Amino acid sequence: MALSPGDPSSYARPDVAFVTHTHLELTVDFNQKVLEGKAILDVERKLPSATELILDHRKLIISSTTNAIDGSNLQYTIGLNVEFGSKFVIQLPPAVGDNKCKIEIEYKTSPDSTALQWLTAEQTAGGVHPYLFSQCEAIHARSMFPCQDTPSVKSTYSAKISVSKELTVVMSALLDRQLEESDKKIYEFRQSIPIPSYLVAIAVGALVSKPVGPRSKVWAEKEFIDQSAYEFGETETMLQTAEQLCGPYVWGMYDILVLPPSFPFGGMENPCLTFVTPTVLAGDRSLATVIAHEISHSWTGNLVTNANFEHFWLNEGFTMFVERKINSRMSGEKMRHFEALHGLQGLREAIKTLGETNQLTNLVPNLNNVDPDDAFSLVPYEKGHTFLFYLEQLLGGPEVFEPFLKSYLDTYKYKSIKTDTWKNYLYKYFSDKVELLNSVDWNTWLYKPGMPPVIPDYDKSLTNACTELARRWIEWDESTVSPFVISDIENLFPGQKVAFLTELHKSPTILSLNKMQQMANTYQLDLVKNSEIRFVWLRLCIKNRWELKVSDALNFATEQGRMKFVRPIFRDLYEWQEMRQRAIDVYLSKKNKMMYVTAHMVAKDLHLSD
Ligand code: BES
Ligand code: ZN
């Protein structure tokens, strides 16, 4: 397979010719479930002798490729479709003077584009209008528009989107203007900062917005708008905190779109417009840390970008690091340690699931012939965070490490880099601390599987209350009267409740049904709305084989599509022999309503595909 030398997940050859700007002119057709129109690509030859432009393509229907300057046809070929797409080669027009040309591609998407989810009116909160949203990361942009779908290429984009006039369009860009034409509305957008293809995003639906700060609005269906505006009321504070840490926010607006429940992630850092799952609408802002995370990506990821998904930790590990710094500025340094410890717990579970010697648990894995969707796990997030936390302590603490972070971001903004570039910069910046740096076991940290070689000494003061309560439940002798009361957990903040339940979940001890019932009653756990608490609680019920709770767990796993929640529940039920078929049946009956990635990944979890 002749994939790009710089990116195992893309056919593109930006070292031959590369796209500098994409203009999309698309009609949103809800009847056929397609985007139809054209993409006009500004192309620059990297090699003066270049004769072709190589793009990525997945399930697109191409009707013509022409030279946009004179309308002449250009020859093209589309290669064999492998698991994640095909090679799309267009002959370049002859070079005239400069090394630039413009190529127009008439095309439409396929109704089963892996980037797009088309919802019928009945699947929305309002129930009247249909809804469309995209999710391009990691490599699904190629199923939305012809592109060099590698984050090593950054280009600007503009778009002209036509929809029926009851609908609103939003994109990961700034709105230029909006026109009405009989029964149609036309939206024009512009992203004038060069971005990788995975950050192009669109959503269409019956959307309304409400301001939450001087540069921020929240978008949602009107049924959720007030709750959303309250939940994300701290957005501007988070943005300002992030700016202190990372430098000026360059994207102009920072808006948030609250998606329908089937959105497969917690959040997605689409520039100018974060996409977020409605499962973070807890009512008490306790899950708004997702916003701190996506805001952080405005620097770590969107300005300094991983050059391919083997270096994904440069996006996500750094983002966890900045996210937790923002949270600690708002809630105290102890909170940072509490979350880091909880993250480490998650890392242990992820490594256990993947297998301790699985090279996908390397901080920098090898993705040759591996779909990034299959490689996705907490490893780049939490091993990456642990590594940065360790380096910060080693090099002298936040006073020296935060200025380094800012300088690194400033040096590599608008670029795509690999791990070595970061490491070399670290050595250059701390040239007076080379000995300390040489004491780091680089090879193990970066290229060996399993848990990190060093675990920082985290402050446990906020964690102790959780582990202590868990210990009391495990040790309680059921022949004695229950010593537990609601106030055990009333003073815990929501993250501590999650940590308490996680502690019980990871413990080798099986709790009797009697203990589980006592716990459910004493703490009213079945009434909890907070999705993170509900998630571990249901997993704990499954672990302790509480059969009656299986239908709650299956409902939870199908009424929303966030993979972080959906996949572990299906995996747990698969492991429970007596429940396996039931889980499979529920999956089969619901999979058509799931987004492509979610359905595909759960099928793998249930061993229904290879
Ligand atoms: N960029 C990711 C989401 C993503 C990663 C989509 C890889 C597709 C492929 C986003 O920033 C993210 O990490 N979301 C987390 C948020 C959490 C860590 C606060 C999520 O979805 O859970
Ligand atoms: Zn992220």
Side-chain angles (χ1 to χ4, degrees):
M1 204 166 37
L3 287 174
S4 159
D7 186 340
S9 320
S10 168
Y11 283 107
R13 290 296 303 264
D15 53 330
V16 176
F18 60 99
V19 175
T20 58
H21 180 82
T22 301
H23 177 68
L24 299 171
E25 277 190 37
L26 299 169
T27 299
V28 183
D29 183 341
F30 277 102
N31 292 323
Q32 293 188 60
K33 302 193 171 172
V34 301
L35 297 176
E36 181 161 19
K38 60 189 177 191
I40 301 174
L41 310 181
D42 288 3
V43 178
E44 218 172 294
R45 284 174 169 80
K46 183 87 181 185
L47 297 173
S49 59
T51 56
E52 42 186 47
L53 171 69
I54 305 179
L55 302 171
D56 291 295
H57 170 293
R58 189 173 185 180
K59 301 183 182 183
L60 299 174
I61 297 127
I62 308 291
S63 44
S64 72
T65 55
T66 50
N67 179 347
I69 308 292
D70 63 11
S72 61
N73 278 325
L74 299 172
Q75 296 291 323
Y76 70 90
T77 56
I78 295 168
L80 232 54
N81 184 43
V82 298
E83 201 191 340
F84 41 86
S86 45
K87 187 174 176 181
F88 180 15
V89 184
I90 304 175
Q91 296 306 312
L92 289 172
V96 276
D98 63 10
N99 280 325
K100 296 182 179 154
C101 56
K102 238 186 212 312
I103 294 177
E104 182 169 321
I105 303 166
E106 259 189 280
Y107 80 103
K108 65 179 180 188
T109 58
S110 151
D112 47 42
S113 161
T114 61
L116 301 177
Q117 189 170 21
W118 300 88
L119 300 177
T120 60
E122 301 74 54
Q123 289 172 283
T124 66
V128 179
H129 299 290
Y131 199 109
L132 163 69
F133 68 81
S134 68
Q135 169 56 45
C136 288
E137 196 179 16
I139 55 164
H140 296 286
R142 62 191 66 175
S143 76
M144 183 160 106
F145 63 105
C147 57
Q148 293 187 306
D149 201 5
T150 163
S152 62
V153 172
K154 289 185 165 183
S155 56
T156 53
Y157 86 87
S158 51
K160 190 171 172 181
I161 310 290
S162 162
V163 286
S164 68
K165 73 169 186 316
E166 320 76 55
L167 297 172
T168 298
V169 185
V170 288
M171 287 190 89
S172 56
L174 300 176
L175 181 66
D176 263 354
R177 58 182 187 148
Q178 189 186 319
L179 313 165
E180 292 221 13
E181 244 175 42
S182 62
D183 59 339
K184 292 269 167 211
K185 265 201 309 208
I186 294 165
Y187 286 81
E188 294 184 6
F189 297 94
R190 178 169 305 276
Q191 178 52 265
S192 35
I193 298 180
I195 55 165
S197 53
Y198 76 82
L199 291 177
V200 175
I202 186 169
V204 182
L207 301 173
V208 295
S209 70
K210 201 168 169 173
V212 286
R215 44 186 156 172
S216 302
K217 297 185 291 300
V218 167
W219 295 88
E221 284 190 78
K222 65 177 185 316
E223 290 74 11
F224 291 114
I225 194 70
D226 290 327
Q227 197 186 345
S228 302
Y230 172 75
E231 210 77 39
F232 306 131
E234 290 166 318
T235 300
E236 180 59 22
T237 311
M238 290 177 178
L239 278 166
Q240 288 180 14
T241 312
E243 286 187 297
Q244 283 167 19
L245 283 160
C246 301
Y249 180 79
V250 301
W251 306 89
M253 299 295 288
Y254 178 83
D255 283 0
I256 298 168
L257 171 68
V258 181
L259 283 113
S262 57
F263 187 63
F265 290 94
M268 177 64 214
E269 65 272 27
N270 299 132
C272 307
L273 179 69
T274 281
F275 282 23
V276 70
T277 166
T279 64
V280 299
L281 300 175
D284 59 3
R285 296 182 171 174
S286 62
L287 302 178
T289 50
V290 173
I291 300 302
H293 179 94
E294 306 312 335
I295 285 176
S296 306
H297 274 305
S298 307
W299 293 266
T300 50
N302 298 5
L303 277 187
V304 180
T305 308
N306 53 207
N308 67 46
F309 288 99
E310 293 180 335
H311 302 274
F312 188 50
W313 84 277
L314 293 177
N315 279 18
E316 298 299 342
F318 273 79
T319 297
M320 292 308 298
F321 190 72
V322 177
E323 170 199 331
R324 288 183 177 146
K325 288 221 171 239
I326 296 175
N327 293 339
S328 72
R329 295 276 203 284
M330 293 170 66
S331 315
E333 180 67 8
K334 286 190 171 163
M335 191 61 117
R336 181 165 169 245
H337 288 245
F338 170 79
E339 286 182 356
L341 263 173
H342 188 65
L344 203 57
Q345 203 70 259
L347 179 62
R348 282 201 186 91
E349 196 196 338
I351 290 176
K352 203 166 134 204
T353 309
L354 286 163
E356 261 167 42
T357 56
N358 188 335
Q359 70 93 17
L360 291 178
T361 67
N362 295 9
L363 195 49
V364 184
N366 179 333
L367 293 187
N368 283 321
N369 298 310
V370 182
D371 185 331
D373 282 343
D374 296 333
F376 183 83
S377 78
L378 275 184
V379 171
Y381 290 76
E382 296 298 350
K383 206 183 210 182
H385 178 271
T386 310
F387 193 25
L388 293 172
F389 196 104
Y390 157 70
L391 288 172
E392 178 175 73
Q393 279 190 341
L394 179 78
L395 292 164
E399 307 85 84
V400 296
F401 203 71
E402 285 177 9
F404 160 73
L405 178 69
K406 206 182 238 176
S407 161
Y408 158 71
L409 294 170
D410 189 55
T411 306
Y412 295 104
K413 64 188 176 195
Y414 311 117
K415 296 198 168 75
S416 303
I417 64 164
K418 296 185 179 172
T419 300
D420 268 349
T421 303
W422 161 76
K423 185 182 163 194
N424 292 339
Y425 189 69
L426 184 76
Y427 265 87
K428 188 173 154 199
Y429 186 93
F430 289 107
S431 56
D432 56 334
K433 295 189 169 152
V434 169
E435 265 175 37
L436 271 181
L437 284 170
N438 283 341
S439 73
V440 174
D441 184 354
W442 291 97
N443 194 44
T444 304
W445 273 105
L446 297 175
Y447 306 111
K448 290 275 163 63
M451 286 300 282
V454 185
I455 308 279
D457 195 13
Y458 295 121
D459 172 275
K460 296 200 171 57
S461 48
L462 294 176
T463 308
N464 284 341
C466 315
T467 39
E468 176 55 22
L469 184 60
R471 190 191 56 75
R472 286 179 56 216
W473 274 97
I474 289 171
E475 290 175 0
W476 169 42
D477 171 357
E478 288 167 75
S479 63
T480 64
V481 178
S482 161
F484 301 104
V485 286
I486 180 95
S487 62
D488 297 340
I489 64 159
E490 266 172 348
N491 297 326
L492 300 184
F493 56 83
Q496 283 179 310
K497 293 180 189 169
V498 172
F500 154 65
L501 293 167
T502 305
E503 190 67 22
L504 291 173
H505 183 258
K506 73 147 213 238
S507 153
T509 308
I510 300 291
L511 298 181
S512 69
L513 274 191
N514 172 45
K515 275 196 192 180
M516 288 296 288
Q517 271 156 353
Q518 293 274 355
M519 194 184 303
N521 294 341
T522 314
Y523 301 152
Q524 308 201 321
L525 288 164
D526 290 326
L527 303 178
V528 170
K529 292 276 182 300
N530 182 301
S531 58
E532 296 280 351
I533 302 175
R534 190 157 174 71
F535 170 61
V536 248
W537 166 240
L538 289 169
R539 284 195 82 190
L540 185 64
C541 293
I542 296 173
K543 177 198 163 201
N544 294 314
R545 300 298 187 243
W546 191 349
E547 213 174 312
L548 221 70
K549 296 291 176 208
V550 171
S551 56
D552 285 356
L554 282 166
N555 286 341
F556 178 71
T558 49
E559 72 204 5
Q560 49 78 38
R562 187 174 175 186
M563 284 195 278
K564 171 184 170 184
F565 296 152
V566 175
R567 294 186 61 192
I569 300 241
F570 274 107
R571 267 193 241 128
D572 290 352
L573 291 172
Y574 183 86
E575 293 305 321
W576 183 354
Q577 208 76 36
E578 292 78 15
M579 296 300 140
R580 182 175 291 181
Q581 196 54 45
R582 197 166 152 195
I584 292 173
D585 292 344
V586 168
Y587 165 75
L588 292 174
S589 72
K590 298 283 166 117
K591 74 169 189 196
N592 291 336
K593 297 236 157 76
M594 293 177 172
M595 196 177 180
Y596 166 83
V597 255
T598 318
H600 183 76
M601 296 314 298
V602 175
K604 290 199 175 190
D605 294 330
L606 294 172
H607 303 262
L608 297 175
S609 63
D610 47 21

